[in-house]
Amino acid sequence: QKEVEQNSGPLSVPEGAIASLNCTYSDRGSQSFFWYRQYSGKSPELIMSIYSNGDKEDGRFTAQLNKASQYVSLLIRDSQPSDSATYLCAVNPSVRAGSYQLTFGKGTKLSVIP
Amino acid sequence: DGGITQSPKYLFRKEGQNVTLSCEQNLNHDAMYWYRQDPGQGLRLIYYSQIVNDFQKGDIAEGYSVSREKKESFPLTVTSAQKNPTAFYLCASKVRDGVNQPQHFGDGTRLSIL
């Protein structure tokens, strides 16, 4: 069973719409969750982190965590063409907590259509 | 400005040759990580180090070696034993203590076989 799963996409949304990106994880004891944005040919950059159940908002981005369902999502409001990128979900599984390792999903490619 | 510097940006390897990728950080981070990314794939952990003079194998360490002689530096050597080295290599670092602290990435090195 894959540890972190994401729909590879591509996910296409029109400009101004809400983009919803989803991620599920297998380790119920996972403690911290991160969303990274990666433009083509570039390195990942951190955009959101979340540690407790519920929503966390930062500008146009909202991260949602549901530990009971082992599910974390990222909402992007008022999507812009500059949001077009691959979004990586990263999880710190409990089995690796001591070394602070992250397990990454394969990423969802988002395309915002002008 | 504080950050993580990877060099070179592009690297070509001949058959039977060892090559070394540089990673330097001035963030005063204790933990450093090396990842490999193949097209359409997530990041896979090669090696990590939480403290000077200590490092641990990740999920795909075969064919790679590292050293951690200084806190700021964590070079990765891709040996001739790595038969499929073509990939995007990413170095990351984080504050060692605190599972909720994110990893931050350098700009990456793209390695190809001649």
Side-chain angles (χ1 to χ4, degrees):
Chain A
Q1 182 181 7
K2 294 182 181 178
E3 293 187 41
V4 178
E5 292 203 53
Q6 297 180 254
N7 187 325
S8 62
L11 173 66
S12 294
V13 300
E15 184 174 355
I18 296 175
S20 178
L21 305 165
N22 304 316
C23 174
T24 59
Y25 58 94
S26 60
D27 185 336
R28 186 172 289 277
S30 296
Q31 300 180 47
S32 50
F33 308 85
F34 305 93
W35 283 100
Y36 288 85
R37 177 176 62 199
Q38 186 175 25
Y39 292 114
S40 181
K42 303 296 185 182
S43 64
E45 61 176 315
L46 179 73
I47 54 172
M48 288 289 287
S49 57
I50 189 166
Y51 318 115
S52 54
N53 281 329
D55 295 359
K56 179 182 178 182
E57 186 175 319
D58 183 1
R60 295 186 297 112
F61 299 98
T62 299
Q64 299 175 316
L65 175 61
N66 184 327
K67 290 187 177 180
S69 300
Q70 296 172 236
Y71 175 95
V72 58
S73 65
L74 179 70
L75 301 178
I76 306 175
R77 291 183 299 281
D78 187 25
S79 295
Q80 301 297 310
S82 59
D83 295 325
S84 298
T86 296
Y87 290 80
L88 302 173
C89 173
V91 176
N92 177 237
S94 60
V95 292
R96 303 185 179 194
S99 62
Y100 311 114
Q101 293 181 49
L102 294 179
T103 300
F104 286 82
K106 293 184 178 181
T108 297
K109 187 172 183 178
L110 173 66
S111 180
V112 181
I113 311 301
Chain B
D1 287 340
I4 302 169
T5 302
Q6 290 188 242
S7 62
K9 190 172 182 178
Y10 299 96
L11 188 58
F12 298 91
R13 195 192 88 169
K14 296 180 181 179
E15 290 288 337
Q17 185 182 40
N18 293 352
V19 293
T20 297
L21 284 60
S22 171
C23 178
E24 303 276 335
Q25 54 95 3
N26 60 4
L27 300 167
N28 200 33
H29 285 173
D30 294 289
M32 298 186 74
Y33 306 81
W34 273 106
Y35 293 92
R36 168 180 173 143
Q37 187 176 37
D38 294 280
Q41 301 295 312
L43 279 64
R44 293 185 291 168
L45 183 65
I46 304 172
Y47 269 97
Y48 66 97
S49 169
Q50 296 191 80
I51 197 169
V52 174
N53 292 323
D54 184 60
F55 49 83
Q56 305 296 328
K57 292 182 179 180
D59 299 318
I60 55 166
E62 185 174 352
Y64 301 97
S65 66
V66 294
S67 63
R68 187 84 186 277
E69 297 176 1
K70 299 186 301 182
K71 185 176 183 178
E72 304 79 19
S73 179
F74 191 41
L76 173 74
T77 296
V78 183
T79 74
S80 57
Q82 173 51 246
K83 298 306 180 186
N84 183 23
T86 297
F88 189 38
Y89 290 85
L90 290 157
C91 178
S93 71
K94 72 176 293 292
V95 174
R96 184 180 64 177
D97 295 325
V99 66
N100 293 341
Q101 297 298 319
Q103 293 181 18
H104 297 278
F105 289 87
D107 289 339
T109 293
R110 201 166 294 277
L111 176 62
S112 302
I113 294 181
L114 278 178

